[in-house]
Amino acid sequence: MTTGSITAAAPVRFRHWIPPGVYRPQTDTGLLRRALRREPISGRTEVLDLGTGSGALAVEAARMGARVTAVDISWRALAAAWCNGLLNGQRVRVRHGDLASAVPGRRFDLVVTNPPYVPAPGGAPPRGSARAWDAGADGRLLIDRICAAAPTVLRPYGRLLMVHSHLSGVEETLARLRDGGLRAQVVERTRLPFGPVLRSRLGWLRERGLLAGRTNEELVVIRAEHA
Ligand SMILES: C[S@@+](CC[C@H](N)C(=O)[O-])C[C@H]1O[C@@H](n2cnc3c(N)ncnc32)[C@H](O)[C@@H]1O
C-alpha cells in the first residue's frame, strides 16, 4: 500500500491521491482498463464501477464521456475516488454501500468491476486493507454475488466487464453469467508472477488444489452482455 501522495500511477496513468488502505491500481486494474477502452461510450452511457477503490476505472470511463457512478464499501476509497475525479477534471458520483445495493433499482449500460477475488484461509470476514482482495476460501464471495446481480443491474444490451484471477474459477464465472441469460466470454488474459499476498499463502493454495501446478497467476477480463 502507498502513503497518501499525488503521483503518476503505473500501470494506469492518472493523477491520483491514494490514502493508506486504499487499493493502488495494479495489473488487474490496467487489464480491465484496456477492455474498458474498447467499449462504445457516449455522453448518455451510464457506467457503474463496483468496488471503485481509488476511482481509476471510474475516472477513465468519465474521460471517455460516460456518466459514472462509483460504489465502494470503504468510505476512504470513496473519498479518494471523488477527489481523483476532481484532480482529473471529471465528475464521478460516489455511493457508499455493499455492491449494487448502493444503487437500488438503478440499471446501467456498462458495469466495470475489479472485485476482491483472492482465496483466503480462515473463516473470518476480511478486515482493513485485506477487504480489497480477500474473498473467502474459494475467492468467489463477491464474484458470485456480482454474477447473480448482473441480469438486474444491466439494461438490455448492457455489458459487464469483470477482472479476476484463474485461482477463483474462470469457468465458474462464465457458467454463472450464462445461466443468468448473459453472453459471456474472456476478452483479456495476462500472466504475472505471484505477488506478495499469494506468495504468503502458496502452501495453503497448493493444499486446496487451487494452483493446479502453475507457477504464476493468470488474470482474465470477462465480458458479459445482456442479450
Ligand atoms: C481490488 S480493489 C479494486 C479497486 C479499483 N477498482 C481498481 O481496479 O484499482 C476492490 C475494491 O472493492 C471494494 N469492496 C470490497 N467489498 C466490497 C463490497 N461488498 N461492496 C463494494 N465494494 C467493496 C474494496 O474496498 C476495494 O476498494
Side-chain angles (χ1 to χ4, degrees):
M1 289 300 110
T2 58
T3 52
S5 62
I6 297 172
T7 58
V12 178
R13 266 173 272 125
F14 82 127
R15 287 179 63 74
H16 68 226
W17 167 63
I18 303 184
V22 173
Y23 189 80
R24 184 183 184 84
Q26 296 187 29
T27 306
D28 47 8
T29 318
L31 199 66
L32 185 52
R33 175 178 176 267
R34 200 153 78 189
L36 167 64
R37 288 179 62 82
R38 286 199 299 269
E39 294 297 323
I41 283 181
S42 75
R44 287 205 306 262
T45 308
E46 295 259 10
V47 172
L48 175 65
D49 180 13
L50 279 181
T52 195
S54 66
L57 296 159
V59 169
E60 185 65 31
R63 273 183 180 154
M64 291 169 71
R67 292 165 55 83
V68 183
T69 303
V71 166
D72 209 287
I73 198 98
S74 151
W75 284 105
R76 210 183 281 198
L78 284 182
W82 186 80
C83 286
N84 289 330
L86 276 188
L87 279 172
N88 289 273
Q90 304 297 331
R91 178 163 180 223
V92 173
R93 297 159 189 80
V94 295
R95 296 285 178 272
H96 178 257
D98 181 13
L99 297 182
S101 69
V103 285
R106 289 192 58 194
R107 288 184 166 230
F108 295 84
D109 304 295
L110 178 61
V111 175
V112 292
T113 183
N114 177 6
Y117 55 72
V118 178
R127 297 173 63 93
S129 305
R131 263 200 319 190
W133 55 79
D134 277 357
D138 60 2
R140 301 196 55 87
L141 212 56
L142 282 280
I143 295 173
D144 285 347
R145 292 179 54 212
I146 293 167
C147 291
T152 44
V153 175
L154 291 175
R155 291 185 174 144
Y157 306 107
R159 296 141 283 149
L160 167 76
L161 290 174
M162 171 158 55
V163 66
H164 69 71
S165 167
H166 79 278
L167 296 170
S168 30
V170 176
E171 291 305 318
E172 175 78 16
T173 301
L174 291 170
R176 284 180 183 255
L177 290 167
R178 288 170 186 155
D179 286 351
L182 277 68
R183 282 196 297 264
Q185 58 178 317
V186 172
V187 292
E188 289 281 353
R189 283 179 193 277
T190 194
R191 284 183 187 226
L192 68 165
F194 294 129
V197 174
L198 288 181
R199 282 204 303 275
S200 72
R201 53 185 75 153
L202 278 180
W204 178 81
L205 291 166
R206 202 170 289 118
E207 264 169 37
R208 287 187 54 90
L210 291 173
L211 291 184
R214 293 207 191 184
T215 52
N216 54 25
E217 185 181 19
E218 184 173 37
L219 297 177
V220 301
V221 175
I222 290 169
R223 183 183 193 273
E225 191 167 343
H226 203 262

